[in-house]
Amino acid sequence: MSNPQLTQKLEQTIQNIPDFPKPGIQFKDITPIFLDPQLYEEVIADMANFSRGKIDVVCGIESRGYLFGIAIAVALQVPFILIRKKGKLPPPFVAQEYDLEYGSAEIEMRTGQLKPGQRVLIHDDLLATGGTTEAAAKLVEKQGGEVAQFSFLIGLKDLHGTDRLQQFNAEIHQVLEY
Ligand code: AMP
């Protein structure tokens, strides 16, 4: 777990927006973190410490997974690969479909950026049901990458996203849990 001082600062900074974008959803607005460069730096240090020496590449999930993911990669001096939503990447790319509450979605990654055998950190801002992250992990495995770690700024305990990620046998870090 992260240090209690950082956790407390983040709890005071992240805003809870009830019933957004749908009734019943408590939206976590992380944008105030970016108004406080020192706090942002502390978050990156915490995330980088978790992954130091254990990964060869960071894969970040569009779009809020880029906000911390690139900084983690730079801090650790490893490459960063974008996982994008369908239709944004030019070919060639690899795709993975996953189920949504209603219908399905797809995420994609440029072919050839991830090398077989590389140890991967999959990063996103928030772990809810784990559906998006599970698809990202399958995308990594499809290309011969080893899913070594998952990291999130926030994990929503009640949605049991971590249960869904157990199949990958990877370490999981959540800076803050609600
Ligand atoms: P899931 O696939 O259910 O784990 O959803 C994770 C994605 O949805 C993340 O990329 C989050 O940015 C976004 N998300 C889900 N629930 C919330 C929430 N309560 N507040 C903010 N973002 C959310």
Side-chain angles (χ1 to χ4, degrees):
M1 267 318 279
S2 303
N3 78 68
Q5 265 173 337
L6 175 59
T7 308
Q8 198 188 8
K9 251 195 254 178
L10 284 168
E11 275 167 357
Q12 288 162 357
T13 306
I14 294 165
Q15 286 173 9
N16 296 305
I17 318 287
D19 298 317
F20 182 84
K22 289 192 281 192
I25 305 273
Q26 167 108 246
F27 185 81
K28 303 289 181 200
D29 181 20
I30 61 169
T31 55
I33 296 172
F34 308 111
L35 304 177
D36 184 343
Q38 198 188 332
L39 176 59
Y40 178 79
E41 207 165 60
E42 285 174 38
V43 172
I44 297 305
D46 180 90
M47 291 174 172
N49 282 341
F50 169 70
S51 295
R52 187 165 286 109
K54 297 184 169 175
I55 57 156
D56 303 307
V57 55
V58 179
C59 290
I61 303 175
E62 182 169 355
S63 59
R64 276 171 277 160
Y66 304 162
L67 296 170
F68 302 97
I70 292 177
I72 298 168
V74 172
L76 298 177
Q77 287 293 291
V78 297
F80 179 82
I81 302 176
L82 288 81
I83 294 178
R84 299 218 61 181
K85 290 174 183 157
K86 187 181 172 71
K88 306 269 184 78
L89 287 176
F93 55 78
V94 213
Q96 178 67 46
E97 211 181 45
Y98 61 104
D99 291 331
L100 294 176
E101 200 177 339
Y102 301 102
S104 68
E106 226 168 279
I107 49 173
E108 298 170 345
M109 199 191 278
R110 269 331 270 295
T111 307
Q113 295 194 339
L114 180 64
K115 310 279 183 282
Q118 280 189 316
R119 298 167 301 165
V120 178
L121 165 70
I122 295 177
H123 170 80
D124 203 357
D125 67 322
L126 185 143
L127 177 68
T129 65
T132 317
T133 310
E134 181 186 21
K138 286 182 178 166
L139 199 51
V140 164
E141 288 189 338
K142 253 185 193 175
Q143 295 167 92
E146 180 203 324
V147 180
Q149 293 190 320
F150 295 103
S151 81
F152 308 91
L153 178 70
I154 299 169
L156 301 181
K157 271 188 269 191
D158 291 350
L159 296 178
H160 306 291
T162 51
D163 292 351
R164 204 159 169 168
L165 303 181
Q166 292 308 321
Q167 58 180 308
F168 300 104
N169 262 324
E171 284 185 288
I172 303 174
H173 180 52
Q174 301 168 105
V175 181
L176 202 59
E177 275 186 281
Y178 284 96

